Amino acid sequence: MPDVRELYQSVILDHNRAPRNYGPLADANGHARGHNPLCGDEVTVWVRVAGERIEEIRFVGSGCAISKASASLMTAAVTGRTIDEAETLAQRFHALVTGRAAGSPPDPTLGRLAVLGGVSQYPARVKCASLAWHAMHAALEEAATPLRSVPPPDFGAP
Ligand code: ZN
C-alpha cells in the first residue's frame, strides 16, 4: 500500500521542482509581495482579474520547498475562480494548515491543497505555507480597488 505521507511529500517536491504558473505576469492589474523573516521565504504574486474572475495568477519566489509548493498549488487552485471563491478557499486552507480543521472531516473543496495539511504539526512552517496566500489576498485587493472605489452614480437627492 502506498504511504500517504510519501505521496504528499512527492506532490510537494514536484511543485517545488517544477512550480506551476511561475514567472511575472506582464498584464497584471494587481500584485503584492510577501516576506517570511522566520524562514527567509519571499514571494511576489501577480493577478489579472476581469470582472470578478481571476483570469491568470503567477508568482515568483525563493525560499523553502513548502513556501514554493504552496504558492504553486495556490495558483493552480484559484485560476479561473472568482475573487470570493479564492478568498473562501484561502480561509479553508488557513484552517487546514493551522490545524483548526483537525478533527473535522476532510474538506473536499481543498483538492490537492490537502497535501499541505501536515504543516499544522509544525507551527514554524505555517507561515511558509500561508505566505503566498496572504500575498494573493493583497494582490486581489489591489486588482479590485479601481472597481470598488468608484462611487455609485449620483442621481441627486430624492
Ligand atoms: Zn519557509
Side-chain angles (χ1 to χ4, degrees), residues 36 38-41 63-67 124-125 127-129:
N36 172 19
L38 289 177
C39 180
D41 309 314
C64 68
I66 298 283
S67 70
R125 291 314 193 108
K127 279 191 164 42
C128 302

